[in-house]
Amino acid sequence: MLELKNVSYSVTENGETKHILKDVSLTADERFVAITGPNGSGKSTLAKIIAGVIAPTAGKILLDGQDVTSFGITERAKAGVSYAFQQPVRFKGITVKDLVSIAAGKNISVGEACAYLSEVGLCARDYIGREVNSSLSGGELKRIEIATVLARKTKISVFDEPEAGIDLWSFQSLIKVFENLHKKAGGSILIISHQERILEIADKIVVMNAGAVERAGSAEEILPTLIGAKACRALRS
């Protein structure tokens, strides 16, 4: 289980302090937890803090009761946290098979790597030997990154807007990937997303606003309020 206790994050620029996260407390023990909210509400910052990409300026982060607040991204990964960036990283000189092997923590066979790529809708023979560089599109990189998370099988898997850049791949396929990930790895999957079809599969929805948790609850409780708000904005526009 992941626990955030009174987590805050601020930055100082030109002598002015900007509070990006404000006293965020939440737990994630469910199968799928969706974190949503307007742009600038702190969702991606929260995802990076959970993954250890950046450190909070206050508060605690516990993973299965262990305090991992001081852990960087490498230590957090070893503790059992995976993170898929909103904009996947490119690695010149590393092949797709190499990257999936690194994620799996062992030198996996071509057949095993192909199985992970097939799960995310890629024709494995076209990608297995390619470098993870600028020759790949954003959508291809996104799918490859999701394949590496599948290979890791960690306690907490964090996806920052996984639907971005996969226009030609159906949402149903993406949802199936998440379901298969949970079956194989267990743990919790945290998804940063605005997409209603992703929110619908969530066991828990956390709504962020202005750097704080505005409300949290089951999809049955929270989703109707989000859909209603969207409908009202559409009528006013």
Side-chain angles (χ1 to χ4, degrees):
M1 180 172 70
L2 177 72
E3 294 180 83
L4 274 66
K5 296 185 176 183
N6 308 109
V7 168
S8 296
Y9 180 72
S10 59
V11 294
T12 301
E13 296 178 353
N14 300 320
E16 183 178 345
T17 300
K18 183 178 181 181
H19 300 286
I20 298 173
L21 292 178
K22 307 167 188 175
D23 202 32
V24 172
S25 293
L26 62 88
T27 61
D29 196 26
E30 296 82 0
R31 182 182 54 158
F32 297 128
V33 177
I35 301 175
T36 193
N39 291 334
S41 60
K43 304 183 303 298
S44 291
T45 299
L46 182 62
K48 289 175 182 176
I49 282 177
I50 291 170
V53 178
I54 55 178
T57 49
K60 285 187 176 184
I61 302 168
L62 305 177
L63 182 61
D64 291 340
Q66 179 186 12
D67 189 342
V68 297
T69 311
S70 63
F71 288 15
I73 187 169
T74 301
E75 291 174 295
R76 203 73 60 88
K78 289 178 180 177
V81 179
S82 290
Y83 177 56
F85 288 84
Q86 188 174 2
Q87 298 295 329
V89 180
R90 300 174 190 270
F91 299 94
K92 187 176 180 180
I94 295 179
T95 68
V96 172
K97 180 183 178 296
D98 292 337
L99 191 61
V100 178
S101 290
I102 291 168
K106 60 181 180 179
N107 185 22
I108 62 175
S109 68
V110 170
E112 289 173 303
C114 287
Y116 290 122
L117 294 174
S118 296
E119 282 197 58
V120 297
L122 294 176
C123 180
R125 67 174 178 271
D126 294 337
Y127 290 91
I128 197 73
R130 289 182 64 178
E131 284 191 20
V132 188
N133 58 21
S134 58
S135 70
L136 295 169
S137 71
E140 290 169 326
L141 285 168
K142 177 69 76 170
R143 296 197 203 187
I144 290 166
E145 185 178 48
I146 293 172
T148 64
V149 176
L150 291 172
R152 290 208 62 221
K153 299 184 178 73
T154 44
K155 298 174 185 176
I156 302 290
S157 301
V158 183
F159 294 90
D160 193 353
E161 297 194 17
E163 70 276 8
I166 54 171
D167 300 347
L168 299 179
W169 193 32
S170 72
F171 276 101
Q172 195 57 45
S173 296
L174 181 61
I175 289 167
K176 187 176 180 180
V177 166
F178 291 142
E179 290 172 342
N180 288 341
L181 173 59
H182 180 74
K183 287 177 183 176
K184 292 177 180 178
S188 296
I189 300 170
L190 277 65
I191 309 170
I192 311 295
S193 182
H194 296 284
Q195 292 295 332
E196 186 178 322
R197 279 179 283 182
I198 289 181
L199 298 180
E200 285 173 348
I201 70 166
D203 300 299
K204 180 177 187 177
I205 297 177
V206 177
V207 182
M208 299 286 296
N209 193 18
V213 174
E214 186 175 81
R215 59 193 185 278
S218 67
E220 290 78 8
E221 294 174 283
I222 303 297
L223 193 55
T225 68
L226 296 176
I227 294 171
K230 289 178 184 177
C232 289
R233 286 196 295 272
L235 288 171
R236 289 197 298 267
S237 62

